[in-house]
Amino acid sequence: ILSQIDQAGAIACRACGVARVVTVSMKEVVFREPVYVGDVVSFYAEVVKVGRTSMTITVEVYAERHPSNPLVVKVTEAQLTYVAVDADGSKREVPPEQ
């Protein structure tokens, strides 16, 4: 789940015009509900803040269980910070909003 949260957040950075990022931090992650085999897990990411070189993204994770009687529960959420990097791995500025 942690790896998928990181990937969902990195994909959300594309909305800021940034394709290459590195993860700087992942704030507290509390698993509110377990994820069971057979659950369909969905990740929803939102850009919260854009700085000069960094982006803060919130990712919420939901699990849909019981296919015959669907129930969707929020299993966890996290806030991540990414830094934009160039092809050499050096920091770069996030492009201005267009």
Side-chain angles (χ1 to χ4, degrees), residues 1 31 33-41 61-63 65 73 75-76:
I1 297 290
F31 292 95
E33 297 278 339
V35 175
Y36 299 108
V37 172
D39 284 353
V40 175
V41 183
V61 184
Y62 293 85
R65 43 185 64 133
V73 294
V75 293
T76 191

